[in-house]
Amino acid sequence: MIAMLTATVFFALAAIIVTRSTGTAMSVPAPTLTVIGFLSMTLGGWLGGAIVFVYGMRVLKLKDEPAGRAVSPIPHAEKEKAAGS
């Protein structure tokens, strides 16, 4: 959630800078803030996908599994057992 909120703040700042610029040339901070927002959004999406698809939160009911496996895309026996494979 923090990564997505951070991305929203960076996108909002970039939008404010672009709308307040009076010249025809785009200022350097706006594209930089947009890239930082995009990277933050990508990180949040990756972490969210890992929590759902790897850790199985709210999907496979693997609540006793260590949270450290949420960031690893490698399948493990507990996940395969819970999925019914």
Side-chain angles (χ1 to χ4, degrees):
M1 182 176 92
I2 291 172
M4 292 303 188
L5 290 174
T6 302
T8 302
V9 168
F10 279 112
F11 287 136
L13 288 173
I16 290 170
I17 289 173
V18 167
T19 57
R20 291 190 178 179
S21 65
T22 56
T24 57
M26 186 183 300
S27 63
V28 173
T32 304
L33 291 173
T34 302
V35 168
I36 293 170
F38 176 74
L39 293 173
S40 178
M41 184 176 63
T42 302
L43 174 69
W46 175 73
L47 288 173
I51 288 171
V52 171
F53 294 109
V54 176
Y55 187 63
M57 182 171 251
R58 302 278 186 205
V59 178
L60 300 176
K61 304 199 185 321
L62 294 175
K63 61 184 178 182
D64 296 330
E65 187 175 343
R69 291 190 185 184
V71 295
S72 174
I74 301 169
H76 49 279
E78 292 88 356
K79 180 181 179 249
E80 292 173 356
K81 181 180 175 186
S85 301

